[in-house]
Amino acid sequence: MRMHLRDYTRAVDVPRYTCAISPGKHCPLFGVGIVFQGMAGVTLIYIGPQDCVYYAQTDTLLRQLASARTGGPQVRTLAVQLSDSDLIFGIRPQLEKLLEKEARREDTNAVFLVTSCSVEVLSEDLRGTVDAVAARTGKRIALIPIENFKTFSYFEGTEKALAALTAGLKPLPRREKSFAVLGARKRGADESEPVRWLLERGYTLQSILPYETNAEKVEHLPEAAFTLVMEGCGLEVAKQLERDYHIPYVRFDRRLDLQHIVQAWRELSALVGADRETWIEEQLREIGQMEEVVSAKVSGTTFFYSQTTIYPFEACLFLSRLGMEPLCIFQGSVRDKEADARLALAKRADPVLWQNADQSALRAMLEEQLPDYFVGATGGTIREYPVLAFSFPTGRVDAGFAYYKTCLRRILAAQRMEGNR
Amino acid sequence: MKVYDVLPPASIRAGFYRAAAPWKDVAVVEFGPEGTMHYVQSNVRGETGHFFATGLKEKQIIFGDTENLEQAILEVDRRLKPGWMIVMSSPVSEIIGADLRAVCCKTQRQVQAVLSVWDQLPVEADEFRGKRKAYEMAASYLKKIASELPESQPEGILVLGLSEVDYNGVSDLNEIRRMMQDYLGMPLLNDELGRYALRDVKRARWILTVEPEAEPLAAAAQELWGIPRYQGVPYGLNGCKELMAAAEQATGLRPNDRWEQELKEAAYVIRQFHTGMENRRPRGVFLDIRPSRMAAMENFLTKELELKVTHPHQTASAVSTDGAVTRELAIAPDDILLASGLLCSLYRSNDSICLEDPVVRQRTFSRHLPLMGLWGAENFLTLFYPLLL
């Protein structure tokens, strides 16, 4: 069944083009692994059937190798493989024993227990077990329940892990001129526009969560004077830190909405006590000129959208404001945090929505109606069709006006595919 | 429960997928969440476009709804037109007790592919059992369709259990291809990546199973069409001699003079290795590769290269809560590791050569650097000897 933007209810309700998924989205266990790399003093326990713990442990060990290469600290990870009898008779007594043993290790400050689908389907009360051992040992022990069958994408695993990691931190005195970056999964945040500006003004970057942090830095998060949210997966943590420790946050995650970029810069300027209005005006003037050039080229054209880690409706609204018309949106792994971009876009267009750009879905839609532009990864199927293609950068973390301008340049640099079909 | 602070053994499902990856006329549909399929596909190197998941969601778990699975079977049949489709359970669908057989009974009439079900999998079993199961099921499939296959003449040699799925598999396979072509004038039926259609097994003149788990399929071909078979891993010169002797016996073709000439050259290289080792401090080798290759590699190392080899051994796990057995790795600081990529990487201060499952930095750039076969023996020494200096 087909869904159009104006029929949208929830991200999870957007249909898949096919019931035969290959390869599908990442498991949220993968999203958890992203957070804990390099966390010395932490024991991460994956519990589940052989398949799940094998894959999750492989992924974590590979991340450890990457961390070891840069001399970074290591998280201790355990894979707990369930047996027949565990599934039939339950796992509480054995698990309690294991958690206690781990919590009492001298070099362990915290234990995180990560479940998988099968454990959740069995509905055993693991939270009770975790709380009991935490009370007995005085160590931080947290449960991260993972249910792939309930989640939209692996980002939810990352969000849950970040929430568990930063919950219950001890309040600390505020350190002036220090800040933390939240939600950066990849490198580059320290060179992004707002961070560079803060560093130039003598501010200290306390940590980049989850890309570059460790247990000690997490413990010191409550010291930060403020936080910057770079991607959506950091938003809930930012709210949690504001709620629990009164640490204000500035959202730079809405990277393709000019109004929000201006707002973020104004909020940051106010926090720092600097006047950036002249600079903001300059940026807006420059962007206005660039938009005129881009618009002259793309206005009246159509596009398919399939980027996986950028807010889809916000990105399509950005393109729509340049005069482009979305015909089809493949949602990907990230969903917009607010409804405003979607509602604004729905007033301008009513594209078809699909869950993600499975090759069969992409091919079928391209056969049905060929757009002028394709926005997303340009491997495989898309090369067979005569469309202009570009993608917004996602390899490095960036934000602010700089990122917005880079995206405008990307549109101008669109490549024509061979279209040998 | 078993607790591992290193890598737990790969599962029976993982083994099944690794065995089924090279089959061109087969599709697998798993009734499970999509995240597991993503992991499967990133874990199996090579072609995995014929593996699918239904993306099991909460609604299906609560209401026992299997409509998605039915749709997936119909879609895969229409899109890929496989000769055989295997419908497989996932850990979650096992717990909720989804009746996959009923679904297949219902949909079989609507599809051209032969449908088979694999469910009620053991909760704990290793990948080798999964591989064996895959080949057993393939054997049953061949028996089922044997009468429909057209008459054909034996055309070449088929290699089972060696393909792009295996680390360095394409290089090793192509060395076997070269040996068969150059010394016997016989082509291989596998394509350049080691893939083949199960329907083409009948066209084989001889079947070489590099993994013993593939034996049930070779045995079925022998039973159905009298195709001779041999199981072995051609590591070292002795392994190569055994391979060529078996090929000669099975095909009746005598290896040409080039075989004798190149065998002599390889033997000379091994003598050079021994000369190079004289007056050098001996170093041990810690060997930890898949069981099916262990004996062949160990024979090469101990009998031909005269090296001292140690293995991991079974012991009670220090971190298990139920006294489970795990492997103890008695690796000496001076040992040279011949093992999986992860193990080599975790023991960074030891010299090592990755022989299985590489991590990113261990992937070779060349598809022409075999470690099996005659040229493989020489290549191995080229990699190994500098570690001793």
Side-chain angles (χ1 to χ4, degrees):
Chain A
M1 209 171 64
R2 192 164 284 209
M3 179 187 274
H4 283 263
L5 179 62
R6 287 170 192 162
D7 310 322
Y8 179 93
T9 46
R10 296 181 305 166
V12 285
D13 295 334
V14 172
R16 294 196 155 280
Y17 183 81
T18 172
C19 297
I21 302 162
S22 178
K25 293 180 189 172
H26 277 296
C27 176
L29 288 174
F30 173 86
V32 173
I34 290 172
V35 173
F36 286 96
Q37 56 189 356
M39 288 280 172
V42 164
T43 301
L44 183 65
I45 303 177
Y46 292 111
I47 186 164
Q50 196 175 2
D51 292 84
C52 301
V53 297
Y54 170 75
Y55 292 126
Q57 181 83 331
T58 305
D59 185 53
T60 308
L61 289 174
L62 288 173
R63 284 178 198 283
Q64 280 193 16
L65 293 182
S67 168
R69 268 201 295 284
T70 54
Q74 307 278 297
V75 61
R76 172 173 160 79
T77 62
L78 299 179
V80 178
Q81 182 186 307
L82 298 178
S83 65
D84 262 322
S85 65
D86 294 326
L87 295 174
I88 296 165
F89 301 112
I91 49 176
R92 280 195 69 167
Q94 306 98 296
L95 184 64
E96 210 164 316
K97 209 166 131 191
L98 174 69
L99 286 174
E100 183 141 0
K101 195 169 167 182
E102 281 304 312
R104 292 198 188 282
R105 281 170 65 100
E106 208 174 302
D107 54 352
T108 301
N109 300 320
V111 180
F112 293 90
L113 179 68
V114 188
T115 61
S116 66
C117 295
S118 303
V119 177
E120 293 301 319
V121 169
L122 290 171
S123 304
E124 189 150 351
D125 177 23
L126 298 187
R127 192 165 294 282
T129 308
V130 162
D131 291 345
V133 179
R136 265 205 310 276
T137 60
K139 291 274 179 76
R140 239 177 105 213
I141 306 179
L143 178 69
I144 305 176
I146 292 297
E147 296 154 295
N148 191 184
F149 58 85
K150 275 189 191 173
T151 49
F152 171 70
S153 83
Y154 73 94
F155 279 84
E156 286 173 41
T158 303
E159 285 173 0
K160 279 185 177 179
L162 284 172
L165 190 63
T166 52
L169 296 173
K170 286 182 192 140
L172 292 169
R174 190 66 42 88
R175 241 178 89 199
E176 290 306 311
K177 293 193 116 181
S178 79
F179 68 102
V181 167
L182 304 176
R185 295 169 302 118
K186 295 183 177 175
R187 69 191 192 286
D190 51 341
E191 290 174 3
S192 63
E193 184 182 270
V195 174
R196 233 178 29 236
W197 181 71
L198 288 168
L199 294 176
E200 280 163 12
R201 293 183 65 84
Y203 276 73
T204 310
L205 177 53
Q206 196 261 0
S207 60
I208 302 173
L209 208 66
Y211 179 71
E212 197 176 57
T213 193
N214 56 42
E216 197 190 335
K217 285 181 177 178
V218 171
E219 294 294 330
H220 284 87
L221 261 180
E223 286 181 347
F226 57 87
T227 61
L228 304 184
V229 179
M230 289 292 187
E231 282 189 313
C233 60
L235 184 58
E236 286 309 310
V237 181
K239 287 180 179 172
Q240 188 177 305
L241 290 171
E242 187 184 54
R243 194 177 56 238
D244 298 347
Y245 310 101
H246 311 292
I247 301 173
Y249 64 90
V250 181
R251 286 187 63 180
F252 278 96
D253 58 311
R254 298 204 55 175
R255 295 182 290 176
L256 288 172
D257 186 312
L258 199 51
Q259 213 180 328
H260 277 91
I261 296 171
V262 171
Q263 188 186 328
W265 267 112
R266 285 190 175 137
E267 284 174 11
L268 184 59
S269 307
L271 278 171
V272 171
D275 182 4
R276 297 235 81 195
E277 281 308 311
T278 314
W279 178 76
I280 290 171
E281 290 306 319
E282 270 171 35
Q283 297 298 314
L284 289 175
R285 210 167 23 252
E286 191 187 335
I287 283 171
Q289 287 164 358
M290 286 176 78
E291 282 183 336
E292 268 180 38
V293 176
V294 176
S295 198
K297 186 182 173 190
V298 300
S299 187
T301 60
T302 56
F303 71 95
F304 279 12
Y305 180 85
S306 84
Q307 289 225 221
T308 55
T309 57
I310 293 177
Y311 295 141
F313 298 133
E314 184 180 289
C316 290
L317 181 62
F318 161 68
L319 295 169
S320 172
R321 284 176 172 153
L322 292 167
M324 299 176 79
E325 185 195 348
L327 299 177
C328 178
I329 300 174
F330 298 99
Q331 275 194 130
S333 297
V334 167
R335 50 182 161 189
D336 295 61
K337 295 284 180 188
E338 292 86 12
D340 59 340
R342 174 174 57 82
L343 296 172
L345 182 66
K347 285 182 185 162
R348 310 168 72 103
D350 194 21
V352 177
L353 304 180
W354 294 114
Q355 192 67 240
N356 66 352
D358 179 278
Q359 292 298 306
S360 61
L362 188 54
R363 191 179 296 281
M365 293 310 293
L366 287 164
E367 292 291 335
E368 202 173 285
Q369 190 177 12
L370 204 61
D372 299 302
Y373 283 87
F374 177 80
V375 188
T378 52
T381 306
I382 194 65
R383 295 195 166 274
E384 300 169 19
Y385 293 84
V387 294
L388 285 157
F390 65 88
S391 62
F392 299 129
T394 54
R396 291 175 65 84
V397 177
D398 204 356
F401 295 114
Y403 184 79
Y404 193 91
K405 285 189 267 188
T406 306
C407 291
L408 286 170
R409 285 188 207 103
R410 283 286 182 105
I411 302 171
L412 289 176
Q415 301 274 318
R416 181 158 291 282
M417 297 291 102
E418 296 93 332
N420 53 11
R421 188 174 171 77
Chain B
M1 62 170 68
K2 287 191 176 64
V3 184
Y4 297 88
D5 58 357
V6 288
L7 197 60
S11 70
I12 190 166
R13 277 187 189 80
F16 188 94
Y17 280 115
R18 284 174 186 169
W23 296 342
K24 287 178 174 177
D25 49 354
V26 174
V28 182
V29 178
E30 183 176 309
F31 189 44
E34 61 184 297
T36 324
M37 180 51 64
H38 194 110
Y39 271 136
V40 164
Q41 298 214 8
S42 47
N43 195 260
V44 175
R45 280 176 299 280
E47 181 57 55
T48 50
H50 52 317
F51 297 156
F52 300 88
T54 57
L56 195 64
K57 289 287 174 199
E58 196 175 14
K59 186 184 112 182
Q60 284 126 22
I61 292 173
I62 295 169
F63 299 110
D65 174 16
T66 53
E67 196 189 326
N68 260 20
L69 177 61
E70 291 167 30
Q71 287 303 319
I73 292 169
L74 298 175
E75 274 184 50
V76 171
D77 187 68
R78 192 174 61 239
R79 226 191 302 156
L80 262 63
K81 299 185 174 50
W84 183 31
M85 199 188 310
I86 303 155
V87 177
M88 201 156 121
S89 63
S90 66
V92 182
S93 70
E94 291 274 352
I95 288 176
I96 60 173
D99 189 353
L100 307 189
R101 285 173 201 281
V103 173
C104 287
C105 277
K106 188 176 162 193
T107 46
Q108 178 65 82
R109 278 167 295 166
Q110 301 168 63
V111 296
Q112 52 85 36
V114 173
L115 296 182
S116 298
V117 174
W118 190 31
D119 60 358
Q120 297 178 0
L121 274 68
V123 174
E124 291 176 284
D126 64 27
E127 63 167 308
F128 308 106
R129 230 172 119 183
K131 284 183 177 180
R132 192 164 188 91
K133 178 68 185 179
Y135 286 111
E136 282 169 1
M137 288 180 73
S140 301
Y141 167 67
L142 276 193
K143 287 175 185 169
K144 194 168 185 176
I145 63 160
S147 59
E148 301 160 19
L149 294 176
E151 284 304 314
S152 60
Q153 291 298 312
E155 292 171 40
I157 294 164
L158 183 66
V159 179
L160 304 182
L162 184 63
S163 71
E164 60 177 338
V165 174
D166 306 282
Y167 176 52
N168 224 33
V170 172
S171 303
D172 289 337
L173 181 80
N174 285 336
E175 167 62 357
I176 293 173
R177 189 191 307 277
R178 181 196 69 80
M179 288 172 70
M180 295 300 128
Q181 186 70 56
D182 287 3
Y183 307 149
L184 290 173
M186 285 288 287
L188 245 57
L189 293 180
N190 308 67
D191 72 11
E192 66 278 12
L193 300 175
R195 305 187 72 217
Y196 56 94
L198 287 176
R199 295 173 73 88
D200 290 340
V201 171
K202 189 183 178 184
R203 292 165 50 217
R205 180 165 178 177
W206 182 52
I207 295 178
L208 163 64
T209 56
V210 175
E211 286 191 314
E213 292 82 13
E215 279 288 279
L217 181 58
Q222 189 168 37
E223 186 188 323
L224 288 167
W225 304 296
I227 302 170
R229 63 193 163 107
Y230 169 76
Q231 200 281 309
V233 187
Y235 277 133
L237 305 199
N238 291 342
C240 291
K241 284 183 210 167
E242 285 166 17
L243 174 71
M244 293 309 293
E248 183 180 351
Q249 192 185 8
T251 62
L253 297 169
R254 195 175 163 70
N256 58 26
D257 293 346
R258 192 168 163 193
W259 156 244
E260 290 298 333
Q261 180 60 35
E262 292 193 2
L263 186 61
K264 273 183 201 162
E265 285 166 15
Y268 174 68
V269 170
I270 291 196
R271 281 201 301 280
Q272 276 185 312
F273 172 79
H274 287 298
T275 308
M277 287 296 289
E278 278 172 17
N279 303 322
R280 284 201 184 279
R281 184 174 51 90
R283 288 180 66 184
V285 172
F286 184 86
L287 183 65
D288 184 15
I289 54 177
R290 69 183 89 169
S292 60
R293 294 184 178 187
M294 194 75 112
M297 181 50 96
E298 189 170 356
N299 275 341
F300 176 42
L301 296 172
T302 57
K303 294 187 178 151
E304 296 183 48
L305 304 184
E306 297 172 7
L307 295 163
K308 184 172 168 271
V309 173
T310 53
H311 311 274
H313 54 270
Q314 304 280 306
T315 178
S317 166
V319 286
S320 171
T321 52
D322 60 357
V325 163
T326 187
R327 296 187 317 165
E328 185 183 294
L329 306 176
I331 299 172
D334 198 33
D335 275 352
I336 295 172
L337 268 60
L338 303 181
S340 73
L342 258 174
L343 192 72
C344 292
S345 303
L346 291 171
Y347 288 80
R348 293 178 66 79
S349 56
N350 286 73
D351 289 321
S352 63
I353 299 176
C354 164
L355 291 183
E356 305 250 65
D357 303 325
V359 298
V360 173
R361 66 186 174 83
Q362 292 155 333
R363 287 185 186 138
T364 49
F365 292 105
S366 173
R367 287 158 42 112
H368 308 286
L369 193 73
L371 296 176
M372 286 182 191
L374 216 47
W375 289 1
E378 294 184 24
N379 287 336
F380 180 80
L381 291 180
T382 306
L383 295 173
F384 187 76
Y385 185 68
L387 303 180
L388 300 165
L389 302 180

